[in-house]
Amino acid sequence: MTELEKGPTGRRRGRGARERILSASQKLFREQGINRTGMDQLCATAEVSKRTAYQHFSGKDELVAEYLRRFDPDVLSSVFDRTDLTPRDRLLAALDIPATTPLCPYIGAAVELHDPQHPASQYARDYKKAVAARLADTAREAGAADPEQLGEQLALLIDGAAARTRVLNADAFPTAAAIAALLIDNAIPATAGDDRRREEVSS
């Protein structure tokens, strides 16, 4: 085996190199941003040669797109798939995000790329639409009169709180959650709300 067939630490290029590159991208893109992360740094962190990196990805654009595509394929399944919470509580849980959570990678990528035609920008749009759709589905379960509208409102609150928390370095999610509770209760007809409260009391 020649030196060109090995990464910086002598690892064989074909054994887990792709996953190490993607793992490095998840770490570096989130910690310091896409534009500030170069291929040299990515390769050093992943312990692969640049030649190996370009065998797996045609360039940084393809890597960024794959990074986003794999980031959260289940769309907040840890919130929306919970069976121990009522639909209303799942809606509120979607805003239970620690202030220390890094900025949403989809927002970060869209802001940095400035290119609506970039594959990563498309993934970002698809993901944000998917979040709003899951919020709307849950709002429908909760008995909301207009679940699509409530889903969009809550999606806007989540993204707005994430951005404001990052810009001000102060936790905006408690305020967003309080607003969400008002929106949810106003969107759910009184009969549906009464049924929900009876279920909560009986449980």
Side-chain angles (χ1 to χ4, degrees), residues 3-4 14 19 22-23 38 53 56 62-63 65 69 77 106-107 128 131 133 137 168 185 197 199:
E3 289 304 311
L4 288 176
E19 292 305 316
L22 285 168
S23 177
H56 289 283
E62 182 182 345
L63 176 57
R69 187 182 72 80
S77 59
Y106 298 92
I107 293 177
K128 289 303 179 182
V131 170
D137 288 343
L168 299 181
D185 288 339
R197 280 188 285 273
E199 290 177 2

Coordinates of all heavy atoms in Angstrom, one line a residue, residues 3-4 14 19 22-23 38 53 56 62-63 65 69 77 106-107 128 131 133 137 168 185 197 199:
E3 N 1.6 5.5 0.3 CA 1.2 6.5 1.2 C -0.1 7.3 0.8 O -0.9 7.7 1.6 CB 2.3 7.6 1.5 CG 3.5 7.0 2.3 CD 3.0 6.5 3.6 OE1 2.3 7.2 4.3 OE2 3.4 5.3 4.0
L4 N -0.3 7.3 -0.6 CA -1.5 8.0 -1.1 C -2.7 7.3 -0.8 O -3.8 7.8 -0.8 CB -1.3 8.2 -2.6 CG -0.3 9.2 -3.1 CD1 -0.3 9.2 -4.6 CD2 -0.7 10.6 -2.6
G14 N -10.8 3.2 2.8 CA -12.1 2.7 2.5 C -12.8 2.2 3.8 O -14.0 1.8 3.7
E19 N -18.0 7.9 6.8 CA -18.7 8.3 8.1 C -17.8 9.2 8.9 O -18.4 10.1 9.6 CB -19.0 7.0 8.9 CG -20.0 6.1 8.2 CD -21.3 6.8 7.9 OE1 -21.8 7.5 8.8 OE2 -21.8 6.6 6.8
L22 N -18.4 12.7 7.5 CA -19.7 13.2 7.8 C -19.7 13.6 9.3 O -20.3 14.6 9.7 CB -20.8 12.2 7.5 CG -21.1 12.1 6.0 CD1 -22.0 10.9 5.8 CD2 -21.8 13.4 5.5
S23 N -19.1 12.8 10.2 CA -19.1 13.1 11.6 C -18.3 14.4 11.8 O -18.7 15.2 12.7 CB -18.4 11.9 12.4 OG -18.3 12.2 13.7
G38 N -13.0 24.7 6.2 CA -12.4 24.3 4.9 C -12.2 22.8 4.8 O -12.2 22.1 5.8
A53 N -11.2 12.1 0.6 CA -12.4 12.9 0.8 C -13.1 13.1 -0.6 O -14.4 13.0 -0.7 CB -12.1 14.3 1.4
H56 N -15.2 10.3 -2.0 CA -16.5 10.1 -1.4 C -17.5 11.3 -1.7 O -18.7 11.1 -1.8 CB -16.4 10.0 0.1 CG -15.8 8.7 0.5 ND1 -16.4 7.5 0.5 CD2 -14.5 8.4 1.0 CE1 -15.6 6.5 0.9 NE2 -14.5 7.0 1.2
E62 N -21.5 19.1 -2.0 CA -22.1 17.8 -1.9 C -22.1 17.4 -0.4 O -23.0 16.8 0.1 CB -21.5 16.8 -2.8 CG -22.1 15.4 -2.7 CD -21.4 14.4 -3.6 OE1 -20.6 14.7 -4.4 OE2 -21.7 13.2 -3.4
L63 N -21.0 17.6 0.2 CA -20.8 17.3 1.6 C -21.8 18.0 2.5 O -22.4 17.5 3.4 CB -19.4 17.5 2.1 CG -19.1 17.3 3.6 CD1 -19.4 15.9 4.0 CD2 -17.6 17.6 3.9
A65 N -24.7 19.2 1.6 CA -26.0 18.7 1.4 C -26.3 17.4 2.1 O -27.3 17.2 2.7 CB -26.3 18.5 -0.2
R69 N -29.0 16.4 4.9 CA -29.9 15.4 4.6 C -30.0 14.3 5.7 O -31.0 13.8 6.1 CB -29.5 14.7 3.3 CG -30.6 13.7 2.8 CD -30.1 13.0 1.6 NE -29.1 12.0 1.8 CZ -29.3 10.8 2.3 NH1 -30.5 10.4 2.6 NH2 -28.2 10.0 2.5
S77 N -38.5 13.2 16.1 CA -39.3 12.0 16.5 C -39.3 11.9 18.0 O -40.2 11.3 18.6 CB -38.7 10.7 15.9 OG -37.3 10.6 16.3
Y106 N -30.3 23.8 9.8 CA -30.9 24.2 8.6 C -31.0 25.7 8.4 O -30.8 26.2 7.3 CB -32.3 23.6 8.5 CG -32.3 22.1 8.6 CD1 -32.4 21.4 9.8 CD2 -32.1 21.3 7.4 CE1 -32.3 20.0 9.8 CE2 -32.1 19.9 7.4 CZ -32.1 19.3 8.7 OH -32.0 17.9 8.7
I107 N -31.3 26.4 9.5 CA -31.3 27.9 9.5 C -29.9 28.3 9.2 O -29.6 29.2 8.3 CB -31.8 28.4 10.8 CG1 -33.2 28.1 11.0 CG2 -31.6 30.0 10.8 CD1 -33.8 28.6 12.4
K128 N -38.0 22.2 7.1 CA -38.8 23.2 7.8 C -40.3 23.0 7.4 O -41.2 23.1 8.3 CB -38.4 24.6 7.4 CG -37.0 25.0 8.0 CD -37.0 24.9 9.5 CE -35.7 25.2 10.2 NZ -35.7 25.1 11.6
V131 N -41.4 20.0 9.5 CA -41.6 20.3 10.9 C -43.0 20.9 11.1 O -43.8 20.6 11.9 CB -40.6 21.3 11.5 CG1 -41.0 21.8 12.8 CG2 -39.2 20.6 11.6
A133 N -45.5 20.6 9.1 CA -46.5 19.5 8.8 C -46.8 18.6 10.0 O -47.9 18.3 10.3 CB -46.1 18.7 7.6
D137 N -50.2 18.2 12.1 CA -50.8 16.9 12.3 C -51.1 16.7 13.8 O -52.2 16.2 14.2 CB -49.9 15.7 11.9 CG -49.7 15.6 10.4 OD1 -50.6 16.2 9.7 OD2 -48.8 15.0 9.9
L168 N -29.1 37.2 20.9 CA -29.0 37.9 22.1 C -28.3 37.2 23.2 O -28.0 37.8 24.3 CB -30.5 38.2 22.6 CG -31.3 39.1 21.7 CD1 -32.7 39.3 22.4 CD2 -30.7 40.4 21.4
D185 N -54.3 27.0 23.0 CA -55.6 27.1 23.7 C -56.7 27.9 22.9 O -57.9 27.5 22.9 CB -55.5 27.6 25.1 CG -54.7 26.7 26.0 OD1 -54.7 25.4 25.7 OD2 -54.2 27.1 27.1
R197 N -58.9 18.2 28.9 CA -58.7 18.4 30.4 C -59.2 17.2 31.2 O -58.6 16.8 32.1 CB -59.3 19.7 30.8 CG -58.5 20.9 30.5 CD -59.0 22.2 31.2 NE -60.2 22.6 30.5 CZ -60.2 23.5 29.4 NH1 -59.0 23.9 28.9 NH2 -61.3 23.9 28.8
E199 N -59.4 14.1 30.1 CA -58.5 13.0 29.9 C -57.3 13.2 30.8 O -56.8 12.2 31.4 CB -58.0 13.0 28.5 CG -59.2 12.5 27.5 CD -58.7 12.6 26.1 OE1 -57.5 12.9 25.9 OE2 -59.5 12.3 25.2

